[in-house]
């Protein structure tokens, strides 16, 4: 496990609680990446130094800490310009990386699918391309430690034209994947399966909630960015309606713009949703600011108008006096994904919100047509079902998406009462 010194420039106008939360988050990111924070060096100033990020005196202090703790890496809580990165690297014997590179490093370690690996490499190359000048010494150390996972030495030591060519190849691969995903989505749409997508701040419990909703066992870890690749599971709601629920990568304040751009194909799971389930860690003292970060990123992705159910998760650890105040619109509810508390309530809220996007129907189905009856039960929200023994017909009332093929056909055949 590598020894890490974390450092930050704190804006004098920044709230102390915000600064502490951001620094604590950086330390969690270091832990997720496999490092141990040995010491912290902060500096209050109006803005980072344009040359060295921190002042020259603070840079000397950082090097003293590196020697004292025999540190391997210095992690900066911000994004370094190429000039700042080169200057700070020249003043310390440890590797110097910034918050963006650390997040990209975690993503590189956690990407499992071909799509995820392509997106991570593209994001890393986009980040590193303007920083190639003066990278010779640091590149010679790639391949061993935090901030070194991903493209590797051989790719980055080639000229810029070769790197841009590699980026073009990756973009083409992503376009092919995007087209394939679009085809799959169209096929699913024809099945009239509603799409729910879990969104939220990293480590808010989205994957644990996915497991609770679907009775599955996807890997859920108490680490930042435990889920990177998109994960979709089937779900049967109380009415019998078959739906899909997708897990997504957790959001975080200061999520690199290169990462948002590269992962846009994956994040289409968000924009394609009928309803978003916004999972908030109800025990987090920063729940309100984390909520705002998620809402801001949803707006950037073009998903700001999609209906949202807000879930205050981890309620099993809450006392009445410690419940944080989070301003959210209805519908919202407290749940414990870990203990499966109030999951049934959430299922019912999901149905209620879906019905607002559907049209009411009342239809009759002959008892002899069991296949059609099964289809209606699985693809619509059946609210009531009665059997007329004299006519040997089932009467169903409920809600279906506009244009539902079987419901529309029954209406045209005059079987609507």
């Amino acid at each position: 496990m590598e020894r890490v010194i974390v450092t930050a420039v704190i804006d004098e106008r920044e709230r102390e609680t915000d600064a502490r939360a951001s620094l604590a988050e950086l330390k969690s990111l270091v832990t997720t990446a496999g490092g141990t924070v040995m010491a912290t060096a902060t500096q209050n100033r109006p803005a980072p130094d344009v040359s060295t990020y921190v002042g020259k005196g603070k840079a000397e202090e950082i090097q003293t800490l590196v020697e004292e703790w025999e540190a391997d890496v210095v992690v900066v809580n911000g994004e370094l310009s190429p000039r700042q990165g080169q200057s700070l690297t020249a003043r310390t014997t440890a590797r110097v990386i910034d918050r963006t590179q650390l997040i990209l490093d975690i993503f590189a370690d956690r990407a499992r699918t071909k799509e995820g690996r392509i997106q991570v490499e593209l994001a890393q190359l986009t980040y590193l391309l303007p920083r190639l000048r003066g990278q010779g010494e640091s590149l010679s150390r790639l391949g061993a430690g935090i901030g070194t996972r991903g493209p590797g030495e051989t790719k980055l030591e080639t000229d810029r034209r070769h790197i841009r060519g590699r980026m073009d190849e990756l973009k083409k691969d992503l376009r092919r994947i995007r087209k394939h995903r679009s085809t799959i989505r169209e096929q699913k749409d024809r099945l009239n399966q509603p799409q729910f997508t879990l969104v939220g701040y990293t480590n808010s419990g989205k994957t644990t909630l996915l497991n609770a909703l679907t009775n599955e066992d996807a890997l859920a870890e108490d680490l930042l960015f435990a889920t990177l690749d998109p994960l979709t599971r089937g779900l049967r709601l109380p009415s019998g309606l078959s739906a899909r629920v997708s897990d997504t990568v957790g959001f975080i304040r200061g999520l690199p713009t290169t990462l948002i751009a590269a992962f846009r194909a994956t994040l289409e799971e968000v924009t394609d949703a009928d309803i978003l389930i916004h999972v908030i860690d109800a025990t987090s003292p920063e729940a309100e600011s984390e909520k705002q970060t998620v809402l801001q990123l949803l707006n950037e992705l073009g998903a700001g108008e999609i209906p949202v159910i807000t879930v205050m998760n981890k309620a099993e650890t809450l006392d009445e006096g410690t419940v944080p105040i989070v301003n959210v619109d209805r519908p919202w509810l407290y749940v414990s994904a870990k203990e499966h508390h109030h999951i049934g309530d959430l299922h019912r809220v999901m149905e209620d919100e879906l019905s607002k996007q559907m049209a009411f129907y009342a239809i009759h189905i002959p008892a002899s047509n069991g296949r059609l009856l099964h289809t209606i039960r699985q693809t619509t929200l059946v609210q009531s079902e009665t059997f007329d023994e004299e006519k040997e017909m089932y009467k169903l009332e409920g809600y279906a998406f506009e244009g539902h093929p079987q419901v529309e056909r029954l209406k045209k055949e005059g079987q609507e009462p």
Side-chain angles (χ1 to χ4, degrees):
M1 188 167 281
E2 291 189 287
R3 296 166 173 254
V4 178
I5 307 296
V6 299
T7 184
V9 168
I10 299 175
D11 191 325
E12 295 168 342
R13 297 161 296 181
E14 187 177 8
R15 289 194 312 156
E16 184 179 348
T17 54
D18 291 342
R20 282 202 307 266
S22 181
L23 202 54
E25 194 169 76
L26 181 68
K27 293 177 181 178
S28 294
L29 287 168
V30 170
T31 301
T32 300
T36 302
V37 176
M38 308 305 297
T40 303
T42 62
Q43 185 174 47
N44 295 325
R45 54 186 300 151
D49 185 278
V50 294
S51 176
T52 55
Y53 182 74
V54 295
K56 291 180 173 59
K58 183 60 68 171
E60 293 174 1
E61 179 185 325
I62 291 170
Q63 173 56 19
T64 300
L65 289 171
V66 167
E67 294 173 355
E68 178 183 349
W69 292 101
E70 298 181 349
D72 306 288
V73 188
V74 173
V75 181
V76 173
N77 193 27
E79 184 165 323
L80 296 172
S81 69
R83 179 183 178 186
Q84 288 171 331
Q86 292 160 20
S87 298
L88 199 53
T89 297
R91 286 170 168 78
T92 179
T93 54
R95 292 194 308 278
V96 176
I97 66 172
D98 61 20
R99 182 186 178 95
T100 297
Q101 194 170 353
L102 178 62
I103 292 174
L104 290 171
D105 186 69
I106 294 169
F107 273 49
D109 186 48
R110 291 185 171 272
R112 295 292 179 266
T113 65
K114 179 181 179 182
E115 177 184 11
R117 290 193 295 269
I118 289 172
Q119 290 177 126
V120 169
E121 183 177 354
L122 179 60
Q124 287 181 311
L125 291 174
T126 301
Y127 170 81
L128 289 167
L129 185 59
R131 294 168 171 80
L132 289 177
R133 181 180 296 176
Q135 290 283 317
E137 182 180 351
S138 61
L139 286 175
S140 67
R141 293 180 283 189
L142 282 176
I146 297 171
T148 66
R149 304 177 182 100
E153 181 177 357
T154 55
K155 289 188 180 70
L156 298 179
E157 285 182 335
T158 57
D159 60 28
R160 293 174 183 269
R161 185 171 58 183
H162 180 85
I163 292 173
R164 289 194 179 99
R166 174 60 180 161
M167 291 170 68
D168 288 340
E169 291 176 10
L170 294 171
K171 290 175 182 177
K172 288 178 182 177
D173 288 340
L174 281 179
R175 282 195 292 270
R176 283 194 290 269
I177 291 172
R178 194 171 188 173
K179 184 176 180 180
H180 177 65
R181 287 166 67 88
S182 178
T183 301
I184 292 175
R185 282 197 302 272
E186 289 174 0
Q187 292 172 346
K188 289 178 178 178
D189 288 342
R190 286 196 288 271
L191 297 175
N192 277 280
Q193 280 192 320
Q195 171 72 50
F196 295 91
T197 299
L198 302 171
V199 297
Y201 209 76
T202 184
N203 206 29
S204 60
K206 294 185 302 301
T207 303
T208 304
L209 183 58
L210 175 75
N211 290 337
L213 285 169
T214 63
N215 292 317
E216 294 281 353
D217 57 354
L219 177 63
E221 297 178 277
D222 187 20
L223 290 171
L224 302 184
F225 301 122
T227 299
L228 176 56
D229 298 305
L231 183 63
T232 299
R233 293 286 185 263
L235 166 69
R236 187 65 57 83
L237 291 170
S239 68
L241 174 64
S242 178
R244 304 189 307 274
V245 184
S246 294
D247 196 5
T248 58
V249 61
F251 295 161
I252 193 170
R253 56 173 68 87
L255 192 65
T257 54
T258 54
L259 202 56
I260 294 174
F263 274 78
R264 189 162 293 276
T266 300
L267 292 172
E268 282 180 353
E269 293 287 350
V270 174
T271 58
D272 287 338
D274 295 298
I275 294 174
L276 300 176
I277 300 177
H278 181 181
V279 185
I280 296 176
D281 179 356
T283 67
S284 171
E286 298 300 315
E288 179 64 31
S289 64
E290 290 170 0
K291 180 204 75 176
Q292 293 295 343
T293 296
V294 172
L295 295 180
Q296 179 183 342
L297 286 169
L298 287 175
N299 283 326
E300 290 179 15
L301 290 168
E305 300 301 318
I306 298 175
V308 176
I309 299 170
T310 303
V311 169
M312 303 294 291
N313 192 28
K314 306 187 182 180
E316 74 277 1
T317 63
L318 292 177
D319 295 324
E320 185 177 347
T322 61
V323 175
I325 298 174
V326 179
N327 297 312
V328 293
D329 296 327
R330 291 191 179 277
W332 67 270
L333 68 163
Y334 282 104
V335 306
S336 168
K338 181 180 179 182
E339 303 293 338
H340 287 218
H341 292 165
H342 305 300
I343 299 302
D345 295 336
L346 176 54
H347 280 144
R348 285 186 285 274
V349 172
M350 291 163 70
E351 285 194 336
D352 289 343
E353 292 306 300
L354 262 184
S355 68
K356 296 175 183 177
Q357 302 182 30
M358 296 175 162
F360 177 78
Y361 70 79
I363 55 177
H364 286 76
I365 300 176
S368 59
N369 198 339
R371 178 176 295 181
L372 178 58
L373 182 63
H374 177 72
T375 298
I376 295 296
R377 287 169 175 166
Q378 280 201 319
T379 60
T380 75
L381 278 171
V382 178
Q383 299 290 292
S384 69
E385 180 179 321
T386 57
F387 181 63
D388 186 330
E389 293 185 6
E390 183 178 338
K391 296 181 179 179
E392 294 189 344
M393 300 278 283
Y394 283 94
K395 179 183 178 182
L396 278 71
E397 293 183 349
Y399 295 87
F401 285 119
E402 292 283 356
H404 187 289
Q406 287 81 13
V407 171
E408 293 300 319
R409 179 167 59 82
L410 287 171
K411 289 180 179 180
K412 289 179 180 178
E413 291 175 355
Q415 295 190 29
E416 182 178 14

